[in-house]
Amino acid sequence: MIQLRDVVKTYNRGRENELEILHGIDLQVWPGEFVAVVGESGSGKTTLMNIIGVLDTPTSGNYLLEGTDVQATSRDEMSAVRNQKIGFVFQNFNLIGRTTAQKNVELPMVYAGIDKKQRAARARALLQMVGMDDRRDHEPNALSGGQKQRVAIARSLANDPAILLCDEPTGALDSKTSRSVMDIFHALHREQHKTILLITHSRTLASECPRVVTVKDGQIVSDKRGGHGYAFE
């Protein structure tokens, strides 16, 4: 589903302050995998996620998403990929203020051209799935951090994407709330067979995932499979 070949990302190319963040990344992710991408701050893991999420493009190398060369697509096509194939969950939720949970979840479907009645019904079903149906008329400022993240997860599923990219999704939450959010991701993986990439600096969270890719100084230094609770290098 995801294939990166010798991907390099350089900022300020050709200038005095040129900085290469990713140094030849090779990565394959198969449909239905739950992969943690773990690394310390500055390791390059967020840059890697931005490329996988079609929010940025490689300086060199190739990125194929479901067999399509992302660099060869137009801006409009890239936008369509982001909207329809990939769901995003961020640490800071990225919900729209003064807009209800229901309308926040509906928004990606508006861009996808889904009619009003259909998107309203799907948004409510998704909010119910994450335990937020009774808060669907609440705006973000009336929700707790955990409730906001549940709404954000529902929104990420609006267009039934094949891939979920989750960037530090529990970083702003307490341990109990983090547990409930991780349980949702595990259920989505187990029951809906979603392909999930969890970007995190937490080795504890990463250890819950069947596969852990460790990024250090812009390179993949470890790629381990085998279930829960294994040791990190």
Short mmCIF file of all heavy atoms in Angstrom, two decimals, residues 96-162:
data_model
loop_
_atom_site.label_atom_id
_atom_site.label_comp_id
_atom_site.label_asym_id
_atom_site.label_seq_id
_atom_site.Cartn_x
_atom_site.Cartn_y
_atom_site.Cartn_z
N ILE A 96 -12.47 22.55 14.13
CA ILE A 96 -12.87 23.92 13.83
C ILE A 96 -13.73 24.45 14.96
O ILE A 96 -14.75 23.85 15.32
CB ILE A 96 -13.63 23.99 12.50
CG1 ILE A 96 -12.72 23.54 11.36
CG2 ILE A 96 -14.15 25.40 12.24
CD1 ILE A 96 -13.40 23.46 10.02
N GLY A 97 -13.32 25.56 15.56
CA GLY A 97 -14.06 26.16 16.65
C GLY A 97 -15.39 26.73 16.20
O GLY A 97 -15.61 27.00 15.00
N ARG A 98 -16.30 26.90 17.14
CA ARG A 98 -17.64 27.44 16.86
C ARG A 98 -18.39 26.60 15.84
O ARG A 98 -19.25 27.11 15.11
CB ARG A 98 -17.55 28.91 16.43
CG ARG A 98 -16.95 29.81 17.49
CD ARG A 98 -17.01 31.27 17.10
NE ARG A 98 -16.44 32.12 18.12
CZ ARG A 98 -16.37 33.44 18.04
NH1 ARG A 98 -16.83 34.07 16.95
NH2 ARG A 98 -15.85 34.14 19.01
N THR A 99 -18.01 25.35 15.76
CA THR A 99 -18.68 24.39 14.87
C THR A 99 -18.89 23.11 15.65
O THR A 99 -17.99 22.66 16.34
CB THR A 99 -17.80 24.10 13.63
OG1 THR A 99 -17.52 25.33 12.95
CG2 THR A 99 -18.50 23.16 12.68
N THR A 100 -20.07 22.54 15.58
CA THR A 100 -20.38 21.37 16.39
C THR A 100 -19.54 20.16 15.99
O THR A 100 -18.96 20.11 14.90
CB THR A 100 -21.86 20.98 16.25
OG1 THR A 100 -22.10 20.57 14.89
CG2 THR A 100 -22.78 22.14 16.62
N ALA A 101 -19.49 19.20 16.90
CA ALA A 101 -18.80 17.94 16.60
C ALA A 101 -19.37 17.32 15.33
O ALA A 101 -18.63 16.82 14.48
CB ALA A 101 -18.94 16.99 17.79
N GLN A 102 -20.68 17.34 15.21
CA GLN A 102 -21.34 16.79 14.04
C GLN A 102 -20.83 17.44 12.76
O GLN A 102 -20.46 16.76 11.79
CB GLN A 102 -22.86 16.99 14.15
CG GLN A 102 -23.66 16.64 12.92
CD GLN A 102 -24.04 15.18 12.79
OE1 GLN A 102 -23.99 14.44 13.77
NE2 GLN A 102 -24.40 14.76 11.59
N LYS A 103 -20.78 18.76 12.74
CA LYS A 103 -20.35 19.48 11.54
C LYS A 103 -18.86 19.28 11.28
O LYS A 103 -18.42 19.26 10.11
CB LYS A 103 -20.67 20.97 11.68
CG LYS A 103 -22.16 21.28 11.71
CD LYS A 103 -22.86 20.84 10.43
CE LYS A 103 -24.33 21.22 10.42
NZ LYS A 103 -25.03 20.73 9.20
N ASN A 104 -18.05 19.15 12.33
CA ASN A 104 -16.63 18.88 12.15
C ASN A 104 -16.42 17.55 11.44
O ASN A 104 -15.57 17.43 10.56
CB ASN A 104 -15.91 18.87 13.50
CG ASN A 104 -15.30 20.21 13.87
OD1 ASN A 104 -14.24 20.57 13.38
ND2 ASN A 104 -15.99 20.96 14.72
N VAL A 105 -17.20 16.55 11.82
CA VAL A 105 -17.07 15.23 11.20
C VAL A 105 -17.58 15.26 9.76
O VAL A 105 -17.06 14.57 8.88
CB VAL A 105 -17.80 14.16 12.03
CG1 VAL A 105 -17.74 12.80 11.35
CG2 VAL A 105 -17.17 14.06 13.43
N GLU A 106 -18.60 16.05 9.51
CA GLU A 106 -19.16 16.14 8.16
C GLU A 106 -18.23 16.83 7.16
O GLU A 106 -18.31 16.57 5.95
CB GLU A 106 -20.49 16.90 8.19
CG GLU A 106 -21.65 16.14 8.78
CD GLU A 106 -22.96 16.92 8.66
OE1 GLU A 106 -23.11 17.66 7.67
OE2 GLU A 106 -23.81 16.78 9.55
N LEU A 107 -17.34 17.69 7.63
CA LEU A 107 -16.58 18.55 6.74
C LEU A 107 -15.83 17.82 5.62
O LEU A 107 -15.92 18.24 4.45
CB LEU A 107 -15.61 19.42 7.55
CG LEU A 107 -14.91 20.54 6.78
CD1 LEU A 107 -15.94 21.50 6.17
CD2 LEU A 107 -13.96 21.30 7.69
N PRO A 108 -15.07 16.75 5.90
CA PRO A 108 -14.40 16.07 4.79
C PRO A 108 -15.37 15.54 3.73
O PRO A 108 -15.03 15.45 2.55
CB PRO A 108 -13.66 14.91 5.47
CG PRO A 108 -13.51 15.34 6.89
CD PRO A 108 -14.74 16.12 7.20
N MET A 109 -16.58 15.20 4.17
CA MET A 109 -17.58 14.70 3.22
C MET A 109 -18.14 15.82 2.36
O MET A 109 -18.56 15.60 1.21
CB MET A 109 -18.69 13.97 3.98
CG MET A 109 -18.24 12.68 4.62
SD MET A 109 -19.57 11.79 5.47
CE MET A 109 -19.60 12.62 7.06
N VAL A 110 -18.16 17.03 2.90
CA VAL A 110 -18.57 18.19 2.10
C VAL A 110 -17.60 18.36 0.93
O VAL A 110 -18.01 18.51 -0.23
CB VAL A 110 -18.59 19.48 2.96
CG1 VAL A 110 -18.86 20.70 2.07
CG2 VAL A 110 -19.63 19.38 4.06
N TYR A 111 -16.29 18.29 1.23
CA TYR A 111 -15.28 18.44 0.19
C TYR A 111 -15.35 17.28 -0.82
O TYR A 111 -14.98 17.45 -1.98
CB TYR A 111 -13.88 18.50 0.80
CG TYR A 111 -13.64 19.74 1.63
CD1 TYR A 111 -13.00 19.67 2.87
CD2 TYR A 111 -14.04 20.99 1.17
CE1 TYR A 111 -12.77 20.80 3.62
CE2 TYR A 111 -13.82 22.13 1.91
CZ TYR A 111 -13.18 22.04 3.14
OH TYR A 111 -12.96 23.17 3.88
N ALA A 112 -15.82 16.13 -0.36
CA ALA A 112 -15.91 14.96 -1.24
C ALA A 112 -17.20 14.97 -2.06
O ALA A 112 -17.41 14.08 -2.89
CB ALA A 112 -15.82 13.69 -0.42
N GLY A 113 -18.08 15.94 -1.82
CA GLY A 113 -19.29 16.07 -2.62
C GLY A 113 -20.42 15.15 -2.20
O GLY A 113 -21.34 14.90 -2.98
N ILE A 114 -20.39 14.67 -0.97
CA ILE A 114 -21.46 13.79 -0.48
C ILE A 114 -22.66 14.63 -0.07
O ILE A 114 -22.51 15.69 0.55
CB ILE A 114 -20.95 12.94 0.71
CG1 ILE A 114 -19.81 12.02 0.22
CG2 ILE A 114 -22.07 12.11 1.32
CD1 ILE A 114 -19.12 11.27 1.33
N ASP A 115 -23.87 14.18 -0.41
CA ASP A 115 -25.05 15.00 -0.16
C ASP A 115 -25.33 15.14 1.34
O ASP A 115 -24.88 14.33 2.15
CB ASP A 115 -26.28 14.44 -0.88
CG ASP A 115 -26.80 13.15 -0.28
OD1 ASP A 115 -27.40 13.20 0.80
OD2 ASP A 115 -26.60 12.08 -0.90
N LYS A 116 -26.06 16.17 1.68
CA LYS A 116 -26.25 16.59 3.06
C LYS A 116 -26.84 15.50 3.94
O LYS A 116 -26.36 15.25 5.06
CB LYS A 116 -27.16 17.83 3.09
CG LYS A 116 -27.34 18.43 4.47
CD LYS A 116 -28.16 19.72 4.37
CE LYS A 116 -28.32 20.35 5.75
NZ LYS A 116 -29.11 21.61 5.67
N LYS A 117 -27.88 14.83 3.46
CA LYS A 117 -28.54 13.81 4.27
C LYS A 117 -27.61 12.63 4.55
O LYS A 117 -27.54 12.12 5.67
CB LYS A 117 -29.81 13.33 3.56
CG LYS A 117 -30.65 12.37 4.37
CD LYS A 117 -31.95 12.02 3.65
CE LYS A 117 -32.80 11.06 4.48
NZ LYS A 117 -34.07 10.74 3.78
N GLN A 118 -26.88 12.21 3.55
CA GLN A 118 -25.98 11.07 3.68
C GLN A 118 -24.83 11.38 4.63
O GLN A 118 -24.46 10.56 5.49
CB GLN A 118 -25.44 10.65 2.31
CG GLN A 118 -24.60 9.38 2.34
CD GLN A 118 -24.12 8.98 0.95
OE1 GLN A 118 -24.48 9.60 -0.05
NE2 GLN A 118 -23.30 7.96 0.89
N ARG A 119 -24.25 12.57 4.49
CA ARG A 119 -23.11 12.89 5.35
C ARG A 119 -23.54 13.10 6.81
O ARG A 119 -22.81 12.76 7.73
CB ARG A 119 -22.34 14.09 4.82
CG ARG A 119 -23.05 15.42 4.83
CD ARG A 119 -22.12 16.51 4.30
NE ARG A 119 -22.73 17.82 4.38
CZ ARG A 119 -23.11 18.53 3.33
NH1 ARG A 119 -22.97 18.05 2.11
NH2 ARG A 119 -23.65 19.74 3.49
N ALA A 120 -24.75 13.62 7.01
CA ALA A 120 -25.25 13.79 8.38
C ALA A 120 -25.44 12.43 9.05
O ALA A 120 -25.08 12.24 10.22
CB ALA A 120 -26.56 14.57 8.36
N ALA A 121 -25.99 11.48 8.31
CA ALA A 121 -26.21 10.15 8.87
C ALA A 121 -24.89 9.45 9.16
O ALA A 121 -24.73 8.81 10.22
CB ALA A 121 -27.05 9.31 7.90
N ARG A 122 -23.93 9.58 8.25
CA ARG A 122 -22.63 8.93 8.47
C ARG A 122 -21.89 9.58 9.64
O ARG A 122 -21.28 8.88 10.45
CB ARG A 122 -21.77 8.97 7.20
CG ARG A 122 -20.40 8.35 7.41
CD ARG A 122 -19.71 7.97 6.13
NE ARG A 122 -18.35 7.50 6.39
CZ ARG A 122 -18.04 6.30 6.87
NH1 ARG A 122 -19.00 5.42 7.12
NH2 ARG A 122 -16.78 5.95 7.06
N ALA A 123 -21.94 10.90 9.73
CA ALA A 123 -21.26 11.58 10.84
C ALA A 123 -21.82 11.14 12.18
O ALA A 123 -21.08 10.87 13.13
CB ALA A 123 -21.39 13.09 10.68
N ARG A 124 -23.13 11.02 12.26
CA ARG A 124 -23.73 10.58 13.51
C ARG A 124 -23.32 9.14 13.85
O ARG A 124 -23.03 8.82 15.00
CB ARG A 124 -25.25 10.70 13.46
CG ARG A 124 -25.88 10.29 14.78
CD ARG A 124 -27.30 10.75 14.94
NE ARG A 124 -27.79 10.46 16.28
CZ ARG A 124 -28.98 10.80 16.72
NH1 ARG A 124 -29.83 11.46 15.92
NH2 ARG A 124 -29.35 10.52 17.96
N ALA A 125 -23.28 8.28 12.83
CA ALA A 125 -22.89 6.88 13.06
C ALA A 125 -21.44 6.80 13.54
O ALA A 125 -21.12 6.01 14.44
CB ALA A 125 -23.07 6.08 11.77
N LEU A 126 -20.57 7.63 12.97
CA LEU A 126 -19.17 7.63 13.38
C LEU A 126 -19.01 8.16 14.80
O LEU A 126 -18.23 7.62 15.60
CB LEU A 126 -18.33 8.45 12.41
CG LEU A 126 -18.13 7.83 11.03
CD1 LEU A 126 -17.53 8.84 10.06
CD2 LEU A 126 -17.24 6.59 11.12
N LEU A 127 -19.74 9.21 15.13
CA LEU A 127 -19.68 9.75 16.49
C LEU A 127 -20.20 8.73 17.50
O LEU A 127 -19.67 8.59 18.60
CB LEU A 127 -20.47 11.06 16.58
CG LEU A 127 -19.79 12.26 15.92
CD1 LEU A 127 -20.77 13.42 15.78
CD2 LEU A 127 -18.56 12.69 16.72
N GLN A 128 -21.23 8.00 17.12
CA GLN A 128 -21.75 6.95 17.98
C GLN A 128 -20.71 5.86 18.18
O GLN A 128 -20.53 5.33 19.28
CB GLN A 128 -23.03 6.38 17.38
CG GLN A 128 -23.75 5.40 18.29
CD GLN A 128 -25.12 5.02 17.75
OE1 GLN A 128 -25.38 5.15 16.56
NE2 GLN A 128 -26.00 4.55 18.61
N MET A 129 -19.99 5.53 17.12
CA MET A 129 -18.97 4.49 17.19
C MET A 129 -17.87 4.82 18.18
O MET A 129 -17.35 3.94 18.88
CB MET A 129 -18.36 4.26 15.81
CG MET A 129 -17.37 3.12 15.74
SD MET A 129 -16.53 3.06 14.15
CE MET A 129 -15.45 4.49 14.31
N VAL A 130 -17.50 6.11 18.28
CA VAL A 130 -16.43 6.52 19.21
C VAL A 130 -16.99 7.02 20.54
O VAL A 130 -16.26 7.62 21.33
CB VAL A 130 -15.52 7.60 18.57
CG1 VAL A 130 -14.84 7.06 17.32
CG2 VAL A 130 -16.29 8.88 18.27
N GLY A 131 -18.26 6.78 20.78
CA GLY A 131 -18.86 7.13 22.06
C GLY A 131 -19.15 8.60 22.26
O GLY A 131 -19.17 9.11 23.39
N MET A 132 -19.41 9.33 21.15
CA MET A 132 -19.61 10.77 21.24
C MET A 132 -20.96 11.21 20.68
O MET A 132 -21.17 12.40 20.43
CB MET A 132 -18.49 11.50 20.49
CG MET A 132 -17.15 11.46 21.20
SD MET A 132 -17.18 12.37 22.77
CE MET A 132 -17.43 14.04 22.18
N ASP A 133 -21.90 10.31 20.51
CA ASP A 133 -23.20 10.68 19.96
C ASP A 133 -23.92 11.69 20.85
O ASP A 133 -24.60 12.59 20.35
CB ASP A 133 -24.07 9.43 19.76
CG ASP A 133 -25.37 9.75 19.03
OD1 ASP A 133 -25.29 10.41 17.98
OD2 ASP A 133 -26.45 9.35 19.51
N ASP A 134 -23.77 11.56 22.16
CA ASP A 134 -24.45 12.48 23.08
C ASP A 134 -23.78 13.85 23.14
O ASP A 134 -24.29 14.76 23.80
CB ASP A 134 -24.54 11.87 24.47
CG ASP A 134 -23.17 11.61 25.10
OD1 ASP A 134 -22.19 11.49 24.35
OD2 ASP A 134 -23.09 11.50 26.34
N ARG A 135 -22.65 14.02 22.45
CA ARG A 135 -21.95 15.31 22.42
C ARG A 135 -21.89 15.88 21.00
O ARG A 135 -21.15 16.83 20.75
CB ARG A 135 -20.51 15.14 22.95
CG ARG A 135 -20.42 14.73 24.41
CD ARG A 135 -20.78 15.89 25.33
NE ARG A 135 -20.51 15.58 26.73
CZ ARG A 135 -21.35 14.97 27.55
NH1 ARG A 135 -22.55 14.58 27.08
NH2 ARG A 135 -21.04 14.74 28.81
N ARG A 136 -22.70 15.34 20.12
CA ARG A 136 -22.56 15.73 18.71
C ARG A 136 -22.95 17.18 18.44
O ARG A 136 -22.51 17.76 17.44
CB ARG A 136 -23.37 14.79 17.82
CG ARG A 136 -24.85 14.77 18.07
CD ARG A 136 -25.53 13.60 17.34
NE ARG A 136 -26.94 13.50 17.68
CZ ARG A 136 -27.90 14.11 17.00
NH1 ARG A 136 -27.61 14.85 15.96
NH2 ARG A 136 -29.16 13.98 17.38
N ASP A 137 -23.75 17.78 19.32
CA ASP A 137 -24.14 19.18 19.13
C ASP A 137 -23.27 20.15 19.92
O ASP A 137 -23.55 21.34 19.96
CB ASP A 137 -25.61 19.37 19.52
CG ASP A 137 -26.56 18.63 18.58
OD1 ASP A 137 -26.25 18.57 17.37
OD2 ASP A 137 -27.58 18.10 19.05
N HIS A 138 -22.21 19.62 20.55
CA HIS A 138 -21.30 20.46 21.32
C HIS A 138 -20.17 20.98 20.44
O HIS A 138 -19.67 20.27 19.57
CB HIS A 138 -20.70 19.67 22.49
CG HIS A 138 -21.67 19.38 23.59
ND1 HIS A 138 -22.84 18.66 23.41
CD2 HIS A 138 -21.64 19.72 24.91
CE1 HIS A 138 -23.48 18.57 24.55
NE2 HIS A 138 -22.78 19.20 25.48
N GLU A 139 -19.75 22.22 20.70
CA GLU A 139 -18.59 22.77 20.03
C GLU A 139 -17.32 22.34 20.76
O GLU A 139 -17.37 21.93 21.92
CB GLU A 139 -18.70 24.31 19.99
CG GLU A 139 -19.89 24.79 19.17
CD GLU A 139 -20.02 26.30 19.15
OE1 GLU A 139 -19.19 26.98 19.79
OE2 GLU A 139 -20.95 26.80 18.50
N PRO A 140 -16.15 22.42 20.11
CA PRO A 140 -14.91 21.93 20.72
C PRO A 140 -14.60 22.53 22.09
O PRO A 140 -14.07 21.83 22.97
CB PRO A 140 -13.85 22.32 19.69
CG PRO A 140 -14.57 22.27 18.39
CD PRO A 140 -15.95 22.78 18.69
N ASN A 141 -14.92 23.83 22.29
CA ASN A 141 -14.59 24.44 23.58
C ASN A 141 -15.42 23.89 24.73
O ASN A 141 -15.14 24.19 25.90
CB ASN A 141 -14.69 25.97 23.51
CG ASN A 141 -16.09 26.45 23.18
OD1 ASN A 141 -17.03 25.66 23.10
ND2 ASN A 141 -16.23 27.76 22.97
N ALA A 142 -16.45 23.09 24.41
CA ALA A 142 -17.26 22.47 25.45
C ALA A 142 -16.89 21.00 25.66
O ALA A 142 -17.58 20.29 26.39
CB ALA A 142 -18.74 22.58 25.09
N LEU A 143 -15.79 20.56 25.03
CA LEU A 143 -15.37 19.17 25.12
C LEU A 143 -14.02 19.06 25.82
O LEU A 143 -13.18 19.96 25.74
CB LEU A 143 -15.25 18.57 23.71
CG LEU A 143 -16.50 18.59 22.84
CD1 LEU A 143 -16.17 18.07 21.44
CD2 LEU A 143 -17.63 17.77 23.47
N SER A 144 -13.81 17.93 26.48
CA SER A 144 -12.51 17.65 27.08
C SER A 144 -11.52 17.23 25.99
O SER A 144 -11.91 16.99 24.83
CB SER A 144 -12.64 16.52 28.10
OG SER A 144 -12.93 15.28 27.44
N GLY A 145 -10.24 17.14 26.36
CA GLY A 145 -9.23 16.73 25.40
C GLY A 145 -9.53 15.37 24.79
O GLY A 145 -9.42 15.17 23.58
N GLY A 146 -9.91 14.43 25.64
CA GLY A 146 -10.23 13.09 25.14
C GLY A 146 -11.43 13.09 24.22
O GLY A 146 -11.46 12.36 23.22
N GLN A 147 -12.43 13.90 24.56
CA GLN A 147 -13.62 13.98 23.70
C GLN A 147 -13.28 14.62 22.36
O GLN A 147 -13.77 14.19 21.31
CB GLN A 147 -14.71 14.78 24.42
CG GLN A 147 -15.31 14.04 25.61
CD GLN A 147 -16.23 14.92 26.44
OE1 GLN A 147 -16.10 16.15 26.46
NE2 GLN A 147 -17.17 14.30 27.14
N LYS A 148 -12.43 15.64 22.38
CA LYS A 148 -12.00 16.26 21.12
C LYS A 148 -11.28 15.24 20.24
O LYS A 148 -11.51 15.20 19.03
CB LYS A 148 -11.06 17.44 21.41
CG LYS A 148 -11.73 18.65 22.02
CD LYS A 148 -10.70 19.72 22.34
CE LYS A 148 -11.32 20.89 23.07
NZ LYS A 148 -10.30 21.90 23.47
N GLN A 149 -10.44 14.42 20.86
CA GLN A 149 -9.71 13.44 20.04
C GLN A 149 -10.63 12.37 19.48
O GLN A 149 -10.44 11.90 18.36
CB GLN A 149 -8.57 12.81 20.85
CG GLN A 149 -7.53 12.09 20.01
CD GLN A 149 -6.85 13.00 19.00
OE1 GLN A 149 -7.47 13.46 18.04
NE2 GLN A 149 -5.56 13.25 19.23
N ARG A 150 -11.66 12.02 20.21
CA ARG A 150 -12.65 11.07 19.69
C ARG A 150 -13.37 11.66 18.48
O ARG A 150 -13.60 10.96 17.48
CB ARG A 150 -13.66 10.69 20.78
CG ARG A 150 -13.09 9.75 21.84
CD ARG A 150 -14.07 9.59 22.98
NE ARG A 150 -13.56 8.68 23.99
CZ ARG A 150 -13.82 7.38 24.03
NH1 ARG A 150 -14.62 6.83 23.12
NH2 ARG A 150 -13.31 6.60 24.97
N VAL A 151 -13.71 12.93 18.57
CA VAL A 151 -14.34 13.60 17.42
C VAL A 151 -13.37 13.63 16.24
O VAL A 151 -13.75 13.38 15.09
CB VAL A 151 -14.79 15.03 17.80
CG1 VAL A 151 -15.29 15.78 16.56
CG2 VAL A 151 -15.87 14.99 18.87
N ALA A 152 -12.10 13.92 16.54
CA ALA A 152 -11.09 13.96 15.48
C ALA A 152 -10.93 12.60 14.81
O ALA A 152 -10.75 12.51 13.59
CB ALA A 152 -9.75 14.43 16.04
N ILE A 153 -11.00 11.54 15.59
CA ILE A 153 -10.91 10.19 15.02
C ILE A 153 -12.13 9.92 14.12
O ILE A 153 -12.00 9.39 13.02
CB ILE A 153 -10.80 9.13 16.13
CG1 ILE A 153 -9.46 9.26 16.85
CG2 ILE A 153 -10.95 7.72 15.55
CD1 ILE A 153 -9.36 8.43 18.12
N ALA A 154 -13.31 10.30 14.60
CA ALA A 154 -14.52 10.14 13.78
C ALA A 154 -14.39 10.91 12.48
O ALA A 154 -14.73 10.40 11.40
CB ALA A 154 -15.75 10.60 14.56
N ARG A 155 -13.87 12.13 12.56
CA ARG A 155 -13.68 12.94 11.35
C ARG A 155 -12.69 12.27 10.39
O ARG A 155 -12.87 12.29 9.17
CB ARG A 155 -13.18 14.33 11.72
CG ARG A 155 -12.98 15.27 10.53
CD ARG A 155 -12.27 16.55 10.94
NE ARG A 155 -11.00 16.24 11.57
CZ ARG A 155 -10.25 17.15 12.23
NH1 ARG A 155 -10.68 18.39 12.35
NH2 ARG A 155 -9.11 16.80 12.78
N SER A 156 -11.63 11.67 10.93
CA SER A 156 -10.63 11.02 10.08
C SER A 156 -11.21 9.86 9.29
O SER A 156 -10.67 9.47 8.25
CB SER A 156 -9.44 10.53 10.93
OG SER A 156 -9.77 9.35 11.64
N LEU A 157 -12.32 9.31 9.78
CA LEU A 157 -12.96 8.16 9.13
C LEU A 157 -14.09 8.56 8.19
O LEU A 157 -14.73 7.70 7.58
CB LEU A 157 -13.51 7.22 10.20
CG LEU A 157 -12.47 6.59 11.14
CD1 LEU A 157 -13.16 5.95 12.33
CD2 LEU A 157 -11.62 5.57 10.39
N ALA A 158 -14.32 9.86 8.05
CA ALA A 158 -15.51 10.35 7.34
C ALA A 158 -15.65 9.78 5.94
O ALA A 158 -16.73 9.36 5.53
CB ALA A 158 -15.50 11.88 7.29
N ASN A 159 -14.55 9.74 5.19
CA ASN A 159 -14.60 9.26 3.81
C ASN A 159 -14.10 7.83 3.68
O ASN A 159 -13.69 7.41 2.59
CB ASN A 159 -13.81 10.21 2.89
CG ASN A 159 -14.49 11.55 2.72
OD1 ASN A 159 -15.72 11.64 2.73
ND2 ASN A 159 -13.71 12.60 2.59
N ASP A 160 -14.13 7.10 4.79
CA ASP A 160 -13.73 5.69 4.82
C ASP A 160 -12.36 5.48 4.20
O ASP A 160 -12.19 4.67 3.27
CB ASP A 160 -14.78 4.83 4.11
CG ASP A 160 -14.60 3.34 4.42
OD1 ASP A 160 -14.01 3.01 5.47
OD2 ASP A 160 -15.05 2.52 3.61
N PRO A 161 -11.34 6.18 4.70
CA PRO A 161 -10.01 6.04 4.12
C PRO A 161 -9.40 4.67 4.41
O PRO A 161 -9.72 4.04 5.42
CB PRO A 161 -9.21 7.15 4.82
CG PRO A 161 -9.86 7.25 6.17
CD PRO A 161 -11.33 7.04 5.90
N ALA A 162 -8.51 4.25 3.53
CA ALA A 162 -7.82 2.98 3.76
C ALA A 162 -6.71 3.12 4.79
O ALA A 162 -6.34 2.15 5.45
CB ALA A 162 -7.23 2.48 2.44
#
